[in-house]
């Protein structure tokens, strides 16, 4: 009993739409969709209110499709700075209850409330958190209560909006196992198909399989899913995971140990190119770089460098990485090189101090930036956004988070 | 021999002098600016004292800069020092400067023997210090070039203050850690830039006509130290002598040597816009304070961004922080001309530039949201401050 854990998973219900409604009460009870570039017909619904969902509106529909399903649909542009501010308020509030709060995304998080159970019933505590969020932020959420993170996540998904669901281990045969395998957190369409072909149709089917056979066939991830299906999940609630996750790196072993600067430069160029692609995919800029040098004798050094200027392009990454290399290289033969980027900021929020010797390169986008500023000035902040901000937002939302 | 010397101190005497304590303390204090405890040449941690026929010279150096101060035996009819036996010695600088400051009597007697042991007495206090062989002290650069000009001390100090703040503090482009001086046709132009902002000032100098055109780059750190040791008798002139790798500043009883930076300083003149799309005149202090308030919030964010919006004869300064909130402030310009404009820039850079200007009002030229901002004090065409804006994505 001593190490029994109580984990809450707090999941905001259709977060973006709910935040809009909280800030614009006239929208309450109406079908609302948040969509990018709605004036163009290809605008895509990023989220919608429950009223809109009842009419058949779904995330990733085009605005036109959504309007066919629901002619009275109100379409709003996203205001990400507002959503982010609201999210910060939410997590600050959750930290009133415990320091063990793990932010899983902008609108969901885990709380380890084990230390509360001697004083308060978990249901009672969940009720208080849910009503506080309702009263102070005017936002609905669902809370899952379980002995671990996986089950808590599955529980919060059971009842939306404004649900509180408990899953105990002994309930698994009734609550979890009958569910189709595709409903399991961590099982995407591809895995679902693979399982399906192997005759695994429900979570219960997976739980009943031989774990070693699963691991042989589906690897370590299959083994993990098998554990989850049986209600085993020992992952701690980790308050730092949100920040720690934020680093990307690549390394490359050279074809032979070398002191040839040209070869070192070209290797770093390749690494920087890969990192540039990742940055572009994540729509972030980096403000910290780590260079790793492994010498012929496996002696390895890593050196950090923070920067005021965002790193975005291959050339920017390469220049900084190579200067860090040169400043720290002992002159011995190099076996492996690595570059890691950290301290990310969404491109939409990053800023760049222009440079006297290169500002003329940045000027190319000046007219556009100026135009966006003027329009936002006239019609309100975030009327026009670079498409990267919309992409950025879609990525931060997992397809099954239901917000 | 040893016995003979010990029994007859005068025979071993290497230097003997008496100096007024205040004069000595002042001179030591100045040369200390050049002395670093982190030097690869151990003797440079010391201060060199030379007693000559006209007075006493103190020397400190860190091989980048060297400072020499001179205490004349007599000045304005007052006796500063007496030299009984001319000679020289190198003494540990930090200890020596501290003990001189702490002595109580008006006069300090220094007596050095041939083993480089210095006896320093003042009133009832007697110190014995182990010195170093002055022959091992490196020679100062010999500068007897004819390329020279003169400038008023207060003007020199102003020029340094108004440009040196903009030098680069990183070694990415070493030449940008210096201030470029160009002497041409009786005019001295100074430019400094760290590539994000730039400061430029020119003045007329005396005798500059004869010296032809010279371009040199002086390390920013040297100019900072020079500014500290120049005292405040503003009317005085400073003689400046240039060679290909050294510059010497001579003022009164102080000589300041600095090495010059190698490398070509980039031509910045073609990067400074000459047109203006929006021109605003504002009170220097009003603008400074508005930016200062806005920066209270901006400080928390990367790059310290404040926004300026100029429209309909109004200037709005604003900034925001996701955690802390927002601030808006409206200023009414003394003069407004041109297109409406929105621009973001670093609060720190703007305050650094405005803080160096004495004029009541400034005229700011904008060319576009991603082009240099130019700030000039109204009434002085010889000063130009430039900052690059911040691009938001």
């Amino acid at each position: 009993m001593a190490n029994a854990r109580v984990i809450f998973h707090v999941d905001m219900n259709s977060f973006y739409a709910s935040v809009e409604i909280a800030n614009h009460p006239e929208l309450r009870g109406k079908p609302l969709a948040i969509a990018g570039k709605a004036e163009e017909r290809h605008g895509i619904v990023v989220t919608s209110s429950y009223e809109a969902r009842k009419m058949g509106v779904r995330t990733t529909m085009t605005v036109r499709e959504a309007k066919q399903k629901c002619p009275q649909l109100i379409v709003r542009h996203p205001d990400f700075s507002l959503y982010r501010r609201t999210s910060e308020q939410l997590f600050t509030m959750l930290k009133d209850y415990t320091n063990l709060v793990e932010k899983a995304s902008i609108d969901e998080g885990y709380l380890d409330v084990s230390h509360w159970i001697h004083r308060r019933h978990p249901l009672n505590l969940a009720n208080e958190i849910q009503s506080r969020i309702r009263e102070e932020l005017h936002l609905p959420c669902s809370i899952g209560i379980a002995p671990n993170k996986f089950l808590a996540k599955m529980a919060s998904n059971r009842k939306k909006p404004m649900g509180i669901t408990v899953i105990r281990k002994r309930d698994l045969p009734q609550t979890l196992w009958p569910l189709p395998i595709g409903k399991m957190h961590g099982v995407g369409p591809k895995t679902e198909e693979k399982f399906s072909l192997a005759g695994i149709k429900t979570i219960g089917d997976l739980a009943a399989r031989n774990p070693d056979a699963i691991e042989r066939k589906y690897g370590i991830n299959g083994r993990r899913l098998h554990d989850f299906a049986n209600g085993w999940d020992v992952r701690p609630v980790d308050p730092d995971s949100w920040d720690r996750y934020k680093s990307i790196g690549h390394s490359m072993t050279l074809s032979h140990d070398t002191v040839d600067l040209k070869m070192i430069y070209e290797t770093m160029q390749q690494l920087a190119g890969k990192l540039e692609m990742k940055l572009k995919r994540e729509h972030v800029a980096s403000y910290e770089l780590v260079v790793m040098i492994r010498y012929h004798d496996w002696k390895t050094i890593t050196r950090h460098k923070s920067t005021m200027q965002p790193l975005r392009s291959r050339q920017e990454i390469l220049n900084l990485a190579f200067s860090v290399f040169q400043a720290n290289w002992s002159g011995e033969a190099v076996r492996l090189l690595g570059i890691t980027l950290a301290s990310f900021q969404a491109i939409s929020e990053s800023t760049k101090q222009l440079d006297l010797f290169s500002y003329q390169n940045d000027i190319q986008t000046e007219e556009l930036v100026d135009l966006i500023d003027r329009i936002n000035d006239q019609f309100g902040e975030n009327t026009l956004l670079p498409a990267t901000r919309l992409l950025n937002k879609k990525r931060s939302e997992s397809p099954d988070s239901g917000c | 021999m040893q016995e003979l010397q010990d029994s007859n101190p005068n025979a071993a005497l290497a230097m003997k002098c008496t100096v007024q304590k205040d004069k000595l303390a002042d001179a030591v204090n100045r040369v200390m600016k050049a002395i670093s405890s982190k030097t690869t040449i151990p003797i440079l941690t010391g201060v060199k004292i030379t007693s000559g026929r006209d007075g006493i010279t103190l020397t400190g150096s860190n091989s980048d800069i060297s400072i020499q101060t001179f205490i004349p035996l007599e000045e304005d009819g007052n006796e500063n020092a007496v030299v009984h036996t001319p000679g020289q010695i190198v003494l540990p600088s930090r200890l020596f400067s501290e003990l001189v400051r702490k002595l109580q009597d008006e006069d300090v007697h220094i007596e050095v023997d041939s083993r480089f042991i210095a006896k320093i007495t003042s009133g009832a206090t007697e110190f014995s210090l182990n010195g170093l062989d002055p022959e091992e002290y490196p020679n100062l650069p010999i500068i007897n070039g004819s390329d020279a000009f003169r400038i008023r001390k207060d003007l020199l100090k102003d020029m340094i203050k108004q440009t040196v703040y903009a030098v680069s503090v990183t070694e990415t482009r070493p030449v940008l850690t210096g201030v470029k001086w160009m002497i041409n046709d009786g005019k001295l132009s100074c430019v400094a830039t760290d590539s994000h902002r730039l400061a430029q000032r020119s003045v007329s100098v005396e005798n500059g006509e004869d010296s032809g055109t010279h371009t040199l780059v002086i390390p920013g750190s040297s100019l900072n130290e020079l500014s500290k040791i120049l005292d405040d008798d503003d009317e005085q002139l400073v003689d400046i002598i240039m060679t290909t790798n050294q510059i010497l500043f001579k003022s009164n009883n102080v000589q300041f040597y600095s090495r010059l930076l190698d490398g070509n300083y980039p031509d910045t003149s073609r990067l400074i816009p000459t047109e203006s799309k929006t021109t605003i005149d504002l009170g220097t202090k009003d603008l400074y304070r508005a930016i200062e308030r806005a920066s209270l919030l901006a400080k928390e964010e990367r790059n310290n961004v404040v926004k300026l919006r100029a429209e309909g004869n109004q200037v709005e300064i604003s900034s925001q922080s996701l955690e802390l909130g927002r601030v808006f402030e409206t200023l009414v310009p003394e003069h407004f001309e041109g297109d409406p404009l929105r621009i973001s820039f670093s609060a720190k850079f703007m305050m650094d530039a405005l803080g160096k200007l004495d004029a009541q009002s400034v005229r700011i030229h904008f060319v576009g949201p991603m082009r240099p901002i130019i700030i000039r004090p109204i009434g002085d065409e010889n000063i130009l401050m430039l900052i690059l804006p911040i691009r938001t994505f």
Side-chain angles (χ1 to χ4, degrees):
Chain A
M1 243 351 247
N3 34 19
R5 294 191 299 159
V6 179
I7 308 296
F8 283 8
H9 180 251
V10 178
D11 192 3
M12 303 309 290
N13 302 135
S14 48
F15 184 57
Y16 298 143
S18 301
V19 173
E20 288 296 336
I21 294 167
N23 284 271
H24 306 278
E26 70 276 11
L27 297 172
R28 189 174 300 279
K30 301 208 171 116
L32 170 71
I34 307 298
K37 289 202 178 171
E39 63 277 22
E40 289 172 27
R41 291 172 182 202
H42 311 296
I44 285 176
V45 174
V46 253
T47 184
S48 56
S49 68
Y50 284 92
E51 288 77 7
R53 289 180 196 197
K54 271 181 216 144
M55 304 286 291
V57 175
R58 293 285 176 269
T59 297
T60 73
M61 272 183 179
T62 63
V63 170
R64 185 206 264 179
E65 287 166 350
K67 287 222 165 170
Q68 278 166 1
K69 297 267 184 196
C70 175
Q72 68 275 42
L73 186 71
I74 300 170
V75 179
R76 284 275 172 142
H77 312 292
D79 178 352
F80 296 113
S81 44
L82 173 67
Y83 306 153
R84 209 166 282 121
R85 282 201 302 277
T86 312
S87 172
E88 276 164 21
Q89 288 171 349
L90 168 70
F91 281 96
T92 311
M93 189 191 289
L94 293 179
K95 280 184 197 133
D96 286 350
Y97 297 92
T98 170
N99 283 327
L100 292 174
V101 176
E102 176 180 328
K103 182 175 170 182
S105 79
I106 190 165
D107 64 344
E108 57 173 322
Y110 296 96
L111 281 72
D112 187 332
V113 294
S114 310
H115 67 286
W116 277 94
I117 48 176
H118 302 293
R119 280 174 284 168
R120 291 188 66 171
H121 194 279
L123 262 177
N124 179 313
L125 181 65
N127 252 317
E128 181 188 319
I129 292 175
Q130 192 182 52
S131 17
R132 239 189 104 188
I133 295 172
R134 171 105 247 177
E135 276 155 32
E136 292 180 26
L137 301 176
H138 308 284
L139 295 174
C141 70
S142 293
I143 300 180
I145 305 173
N148 60 48
K149 279 162 73 172
F150 170 74
L151 292 177
K153 168 90 185 170
M154 293 303 293
S156 69
N157 218 8
R158 296 303 295 272
K159 187 164 175 270
K160 289 181 172 183
M162 291 296 279
I164 294 181
T165 309
V166 182
I167 295 187
R168 295 178 192 85
K169 271 207 178 160
R170 61 172 181 268
D171 303 336
L172 295 188
Q174 296 85 49
T175 54
L176 197 67
W177 290 350
L179 294 178
I181 191 74
K183 290 268 176 197
M184 181 172 171
H185 176 56
V187 175
K190 273 204 182 141
T191 319
E192 181 183 1
E193 203 185 304
K194 272 194 255 169
F195 279 153
S196 202
L197 286 172
I200 301 172
K201 307 278 186 197
T202 64
I203 301 178
D205 290 346
L206 178 60
R209 290 291 170 111
N210 177 313
D212 294 330
I214 291 284
E215 183 167 347
R216 270 195 304 279
K217 202 163 172 192
Y218 305 101
I220 194 88
N221 192 43
R223 176 74 179 235
R224 217 167 58 111
L225 290 172
H226 178 271
D227 283 353
F228 287 174
N230 281 291
W232 303 322
D233 175 10
V234 293
R235 293 172 302 160
V237 171
D238 179 357
D240 300 325
S241 80
W242 182 254
D243 300 319
R244 194 170 336 114
Y245 161 76
K246 302 272 172 187
S247 100
I248 51 174
H250 273 292
S251 63
M252 208 179 272
T253 306
L254 307 180
S255 56
H256 56 272
D257 298 353
T258 189
V259 293
D260 177 11
L261 267 183
K262 187 164 166 273
M263 185 166 168
I264 288 166
Y265 187 82
E266 279 165 6
T267 307
M268 294 193 121
Q269 201 165 27
Q270 284 185 46
L271 292 172
K274 285 190 183 175
L275 290 168
E276 178 190 16
M277 273 165 51
K278 283 209 174 170
L279 287 179
K280 287 223 162 107
R281 217 179 301 143
E282 300 289 334
H283 302 282
V284 291
S286 161
Y287 289 86
E288 191 187 345
L289 175 142
V290 186
V291 170
M292 176 165 78
I293 309 171
R294 176 168 296 153
Y295 293 104
H296 59 97
D297 56 0
W298 282 80
K299 195 175 71 208
T300 307
I301 62 157
T302 55
R303 290 292 176 270
H304 283 251
K305 182 92 185 168
S306 293
T307 157
M308 288 297 287
Q309 297 292 10
L311 300 169
R312 304 175 66 205
S313 71
R314 185 178 78 160
Q315 202 56 44
E316 286 162 350
I317 299 165
L318 178 62
N319 288 349
L320 186 64
F322 194 64
S323 75
V324 171
F325 172 83
Q326 283 187 304
N328 294 287
W329 184 37
S330 70
E332 286 172 75
V334 176
R335 175 190 166 82
L336 171 144
L337 288 165
I339 307 177
T340 301
L341 298 176
S343 299
F344 298 116
Q345 193 169 33
I347 282 184
S348 51
E349 281 168 10
S350 68
T351 57
K352 178 181 182 185
Q353 169 65 57
L354 297 179
D355 184 295
L356 182 62
F357 301 105
S358 65
Y359 74 90
Q360 271 137 340
N361 302 335
D362 292 279
I363 279 176
Q364 290 150 13
T365 58
E366 184 177 44
E367 273 182 41
L368 184 64
V369 170
D370 198 36
L371 182 69
I372 292 175
D373 275 352
R374 277 164 206 274
I375 290 174
N376 286 339
D377 219 20
Q378 199 169 349
F379 300 104
E381 202 77 2
N382 297 343
T383 304
L384 264 190
L385 300 161
T388 49
R389 289 182 66 166
L390 297 176
L391 285 164
N392 183 31
K393 124 93 180 96
K394 264 188 0 210
R395 295 191 57 81
S396 69
E397 195 183 351
S398 59
D400 60 345
S401 69
C403 77
Chain B
M1 275 303 281
Q2 193 70 38
E3 268 176 32
L4 186 68
Q5 274 189 1
D6 278 350
S7 61
N8 182 0
N10 278 334
L13 198 65
M15 182 184 107
K16 186 177 176 185
C17 64
T18 303
V19 205
Q20 270 197 24
K21 185 210 137 188
D22 293 343
K23 290 280 168 192
L24 183 63
D26 190 44
V28 176
N29 194 28
R30 283 181 207 216
V31 299
M32 285 299 287
K33 297 281 192 294
I35 301 174
S36 158
S37 53
K38 288 174 268 164
T39 169
T40 49
I41 311 168
I43 200 163
L44 290 185
T45 57
V47 54
K48 183 177 164 190
I49 304 167
T50 311
S51 302
R53 214 175 302 158
D54 315 322
I56 296 167
T57 305
L58 276 70
T59 309
S61 177
N62 63 14
S63 70
D64 280 346
I65 62 173
S66 304
I67 300 172
Q68 232 169 29
T69 53
F70 181 67
I71 306 168
L73 297 183
E74 251 188 56
E75 201 175 23
D76 310 324
N78 299 319
E79 188 174 64
N80 290 330
V82 180
V83 173
H84 310 283
T85 311
Q88 50 189 7
I89 182 69
V90 176
L91 294 176
S93 63
R94 191 170 307 159
L95 183 58
F96 182 65
S97 80
E98 239 178 280
L99 82 83
V100 169
R101 238 181 302 137
K102 294 198 163 117
L103 292 175
Q104 285 192 332
D105 204 66
E106 263 183 30
D107 291 330
V108 183
H109 308 280
I110 305 172
E111 232 182 284
V112 182
D113 67 20
S114 56
R115 297 165 303 172
F116 314 125
I117 292 172
K119 198 168 80 186
I120 298 156
T121 46
S122 178
T125 314
E126 183 179 315
F127 278 96
S128 231
L129 289 187
N130 297 323
L132 293 164
D133 182 356
E135 294 299 328
E136 282 172 20
Y137 198 88
N139 291 322
L140 291 192
I142 296 161
I143 294 184
N144 46 14
S146 57
D147 290 325
F149 63 91
R150 315 181 89 183
I151 183 171
R152 257 178 57 167
K153 199 188 281 180
D154 54 345
L155 212 50
L156 177 61
K157 285 176 93 167
D158 268 1
M159 293 210 45
I160 293 173
K161 180 182 84 177
Q162 286 166 339
T163 52
V164 79
Y165 77 93
V167 301
S168 172
V169 290
T170 63
E171 289 286 337
T172 327
R173 282 178 85 175
V175 79
L176 295 187
T177 60
V179 181
K180 180 175 93 165
W181 280 28
M182 204 171 79
I183 298 98
N184 185 18
D185 211 13
K187 210 169 104 175
L188 166 64
S189 316
C190 307
V191 182
T193 180
D194 61 6
S195 87
H196 298 139
R197 36 122 166 237
L198 174 146
Q200 180 172 304
R201 161 128 206 223
S202 55
V203 287
S204 299
V205 293
E206 292 181 32
N207 304 349
E209 296 86 347
D210 316 330
S211 64
T213 300
H214 281 272
T215 302
L216 34 101
V217 185
I218 308 169
S221 51
S222 299
L223 291 171
N224 276 325
E225 293 306 328
L226 172 65
S227 198
K228 281 185 214 157
I229 64 155
L230 291 175
D231 50 33
D232 287 326
D233 22 2
D234 296 341
E235 299 291 313
Q236 274 186 7
L237 290 169
V238 179
D239 284 294
I240 298 168
I241 304 160
M242 303 163 283
T243 71
T244 47
N245 53 17
Q246 288 279 336
I247 187 165
L248 166 61
F249 298 84
K250 279 161 81 169
S251 155
N252 230 10
N253 294 318
V254 180
Q255 301 203 35
F256 183 99
Y257 297 76
S258 170
R259 81 182 163 94
L260 298 175
L261 289 176
D262 292 330
N264 286 325
Y265 201 89
D267 177 15
T268 50
S269 59
R270 62 187 173 80
L271 298 169
I272 300 172
T274 45
E275 81 271 48
S276 175
K277 289 213 176 108
T278 311
T279 306
I280 301 165
D281 292 359
L282 282 164
T284 314
K285 279 193 181 139
D286 294 342
L287 178 59
Y288 183 93
R289 291 195 185 123
I291 305 270
E292 194 177 31
R293 283 186 284 267
S295 86
L296 288 176
L297 292 182
K299 263 193 293 216
E300 300 298 317
E301 303 289 305
R302 248 185 255 278
N303 277 335
N304 205 347
V305 189
V306 297
K307 286 185 177 164
L308 180 147
R309 187 174 141 199
E311 200 167 357
N313 207 22
Q314 267 200 351
V315 173
E316 180 190 274
I317 307 286
S318 66
S319 92
Q320 65 170 324
S321 144
L322 280 180
E323 283 88 35
L324 300 173
R326 295 162 178 252
V327 50
F328 284 92
E329 179 156 353
T330 311
L331 296 168
V332 180
E334 294 159 9
H335 178 80
F336 185 115
E337 198 181 302
D339 303 339
L341 164 110
R342 287 172 58 123
I343 197 164
S344 303
F345 51 82
S346 150
K348 178 182 182 298
F349 287 176
M350 183 60 94
M351 284 159 64
D352 279 352
L354 292 173
K356 305 296 179 294
L357 301 174
D358 300 319
Q360 288 242 310
S361 305
V362 288
R363 175 161 298 164
I364 308 182
H365 301 278
F366 301 93
V367 201
M370 289 166 69
R371 294 166 204 255
I373 303 166
I374 291 171
I375 306 140
R376 286 177 180 277
I378 292 179
D380 190 345
E381 280 304 298
N382 295 314
I383 301 178
L384 178 146
M385 306 288 190
L386 174 151
I387 61 180
L388 270 298
I390 284 171
R391 178 193 163 161
T392 51
F393 291 95

